[in-house]
Amino acid sequence: EVQVVESGGGLVQPGGSLRLSCAASGFTFSTYWMHWVRQAPGKGLMWVSIISGDGTVTRYADSVKGRFTISRDNARNTLYLQMNSLRPEDTAVYYCARDVAMAPDDWGQGTLVTVSS
Amino acid sequence: QSALTQPASVSGSPGQSITISCTGTSSDVGGYNYVSWYQQHPGKAPKLMISDVSKRPSGISNRFSGSKSGNTASLTISGLQAEDEADYFCCSYVATGNWVFGGGTKLTVL
């Protein structure tokens, strides 16, 4: 069974940093591109970032470019999102998802990031 | 990148059909057949219902169907059931190599 489990969320002050993790199982992790998608409280979905299976290709939404870094450890079947210079508007549930046929699929339950003083 | 445009809400009675639209541009919806649709119940993770404009993943009811014309994609749900009440989001690949979601549509089953 395909499973992804996010962790690492919490409360952080504006300007602070946080690293999210996403543990994957049930599929050959290294062969799949992986997404991060977020959802602010009561709001819609916003695509954040994607990384290729071998980690050499990364892309970011304009609103997080230069502040967030996506990476992966294929030996540990784990996806990461390093978030720096956090802003209150980054407050959201962050989901990781496997890319299947150019679409985020197999989502985890998410991890909540709250940016507040 | 601006979000794709969806109606804020739609409603229908059990057994009826409804259609949710998703309008983008030639750089996203109109330029690629990589439109997907997601169902999200309150407090739950999104669930993929349609990929590649009209393909249903294994296990998804054939009451759900997708289509596209020009820069607008559509999700149709036929034979509405109470459990279909949820938020629905469209998503498209973008020419920049990114992805973009729609603002979401709340479906109410009357």
Side-chain angles (χ1 to χ4, degrees):
Chain A
E1 178 193 3
V2 172
Q3 190 172 20
V4 293
V5 179
E6 303 91 340
S7 61
L11 175 64
V12 61
Q13 292 189 338
S17 298
L18 209 56
R19 188 178 82 157
L20 306 183
S21 299
C22 168
S25 61
F27 62 99
T28 305
F29 182 66
S30 62
T31 64
Y32 286 88
W33 291 56
M34 296 291 295
H35 297 263
W36 284 102
V37 178
R38 72 185 185 187
Q39 186 170 34
K43 303 297 184 183
L45 300 172
M46 193 200 97
W47 180 83
V48 173
S49 184
I50 192 170
I51 187 168
S52 61
D54 61 4
T56 58
V57 179
T58 59
R59 297 174 186 147
Y60 300 91
D62 288 345
S63 58
V64 307
K65 196 176 296 182
R67 299 188 299 123
F68 289 13
T69 302
I70 190 172
S71 63
R72 64 194 297 159
D73 184 340
N74 286 343
R76 296 177 184 270
N77 287 349
T78 303
L79 174 73
Y80 301 102
L81 186 67
Q82 177 67 44
M83 304 185 294
N84 299 331
S85 303
L86 282 161
R87 306 165 179 168
E89 54 265 36
D90 295 319
T91 294
V93 173
Y94 284 73
Y95 296 99
C96 68
R98 180 175 70 150
D99 184 88
V100 178
M102 299 294 281
D105 193 4
D106 301 310
W107 301 54
Q109 286 304 304
T111 186
L112 176 63
V113 173
T114 303
V115 185
S116 174
S117 54
Chain B
Q1 177 64 49
S2 299
L4 305 175
T5 301
Q6 297 181 232
S9 63
V10 298
S11 62
S13 299
Q16 289 186 330
S17 294
I18 63 93
T19 297
I20 300 171
S21 62
C22 170
T23 301
T25 70
S26 58
S27 294
D28 39 65
V29 174
Y32 304 91
N33 287 326
Y34 296 136
V35 177
S36 50
W37 288 91
Y38 300 86
Q39 177 191 67
Q40 187 180 36
H41 288 108
K44 300 295 186 180
K47 178 182 180 181
L48 180 66
M49 307 301 284
I50 296 286
S51 66
D52 294 340
V53 174
S54 60
K55 294 180 181 177
R56 278 188 310 276
S58 174
I60 300 302
S61 170
N62 59 10
R63 297 187 300 105
F64 292 83
S65 62
S67 63
K68 190 183 84 167
S69 178
N71 295 338
T72 298
S74 299
L75 172 71
T76 298
I77 308 173
S78 59
L80 269 180
Q81 299 179 1
E83 58 262 36
D84 298 333
E85 185 163 295
D87 293 325
Y88 291 84
F89 297 90
C90 62
C91 179
S92 176
Y93 178 75
V94 184
T96 54
N98 292 359
W99 275 255
V100 63
F101 282 91
T105 298
K106 181 177 180 59
L107 169 62
T108 300
V109 180
L110 302 171

